[in-house]
Amino acid sequence: MTDPAVERDAAEAASAFAHPPVAPDASAAYGEHPDQVVDFYAPRGDSRGPAPLVVVLHGGAWRAPYDRQHITPFADFLARRGFAVANVEYRRGSSLPHQGAEGPVAGRWPDTFDDVAAAMDALPGLLAAALPAADPRRTVVTGHSAGGHLALWAAARHVLPPGSPWRLSAPPGLRGVVALAPIADFEVAEELGVCGGASAQLLGGPAHWEARRPSADPASLLPTGIATTVVQGREDIVVPPAVAESYAAAAARAGEIVGLTMVEGVGHFPLIDPAADACAVVAEEISQLAW
């Protein structure tokens, strides 16, 4: 007997990945590694002046086989909604399976975090030439799944532990964060086996869990003082709602309100699928922060 939830998830994934990649209007490097690149999408249609900038961080469990190409239809969807879009690539885990791991290992420590921090810091300087239609004063960061984790982390660098190489001396200049089915609480994610233990792999394995988690787990980096909304499919079996709910509860305990928008009847992938109604919900959440 087949599992209806698994069948739905497979169909939703197939729909999200059926869209052909959309080429950017411009690209720029923020470092020397081939993965240290940002693709830019100019706002489509009639311009109302400089457009809010949406920084997109793709998901894929921080694993090498999943790069930014799969989220380019979502980036184009946002551009057609009038946003200027920066689609960030970053170094991910090895493309080869490792002993004791279920497939390719998730992420690289510290490279994945080095890249996200460097990209965010470089963006203001890259925009003038690559995306002059963008208004960096109205920047919203969004990301899906593992990219949702990175979006939350990018907005929390000013509350990283003292001595962290990624720590900012002041809050980043963001209008807010819209995290889509994010891996937002590492302890809950590991308890549920999200993405085959990807959170622990991102930190370099169980031996580094306690030492590195305070610098990487969004649930440990609260409050941020930055407007944050989590959008979550109620039927998500990839990153279950319990992860987002735990993050929102941790924020509340820290004295901060995090918006939690549950989209009924959908799972993980419709949030980035331009053909799905859930994608319009995401665009509206971004609009509420950006415009």
Side-chain angles (χ1 to χ4, degrees):
M1 178 179 290
T2 59
D3 184 335
V6 173
E7 289 185 343
R8 186 201 62 252
D9 180 70
E12 290 176 342
S15 176
F17 293 130
H19 306 282
V22 180
D25 297 303
S27 297
Y30 63 88
E32 297 182 356
H33 193 278
D35 285 336
Q36 293 174 323
V37 63
V38 183
D39 290 339
F40 296 98
Y41 295 79
R44 316 300 190 212
D46 296 333
S47 175
R48 291 178 282 174
L53 175 67
V54 181
V55 181
V56 175
L57 292 156
H58 72 81
W62 310 286
R63 292 188 168 113
Y66 305 97
D67 63 17
R68 69 191 184 281
Q69 294 303 312
H70 79 268
I71 209 166
T72 61
F74 174 72
D76 178 67
F77 173 83
L78 294 176
R80 288 186 280 110
R81 290 290 185 113
F83 296 107
V85 181
N87 185 19
V88 176
E89 190 58 277
Y90 53 89
R91 283 175 286 181
R92 305 168 308 285
S94 170
S95 60
L96 299 175
H98 285 223
Q99 185 174 2
E102 296 182 9
V105 170
R108 302 186 197 183
W109 182 280
D111 306 39
T112 299
F113 297 93
D114 285 345
D115 287 0
V116 173
M120 296 299 297
D121 292 345
L123 272 174
L126 298 176
L127 289 173
L131 195 59
D135 181 358
R137 298 168 301 177
R138 292 183 289 163
T139 298
V140 174
V141 181
T142 190
H144 178 240
S145 196
H149 157 265
L150 293 173
L152 294 170
W153 181 85
R157 289 171 58 202
H158 58 296
V159 297
L160 286 169
S164 169
W166 309 303
R167 183 181 169 99
L168 296 175
S169 59
L174 303 174
R175 282 286 183 89
V177 181
V178 179
L180 314 177
I183 304 177
D185 185 315
F186 279 10
E187 288 191 329
V188 174
E190 287 301 290
E191 289 171 3
L192 297 176
V194 169
C195 298
S199 301
Q201 292 173 24
L202 175 67
L203 301 186
H208 299 287
W209 177 262
E210 292 299 330
R212 293 176 175 175
R213 189 175 64 84
S215 295
D217 183 358
S220 299
L221 298 171
L222 292 163
T224 67
I226 292 177
T228 300
T229 296
V230 174
V231 183
Q232 176 75 43
R234 179 75 73 181
E235 308 303 324
D236 194 336
I237 62 171
V238 178
V239 183
V243 179
E245 292 168 342
S246 181
Y247 174 76
R253 289 193 297 272
E256 190 160 79
I257 297 175
V258 166
L260 180 54
T261 298
M262 285 288 181
V263 185
E264 301 295 334
V266 302
H268 194 63
F269 295 100
L271 303 180
I272 59 166
D273 182 355
D277 292 342
C279 203
V281 174
V282 170
E284 179 59 29
E285 294 288 355
I286 293 172
S287 294
Q288 289 182 17
L289 294 175
W291 289 105

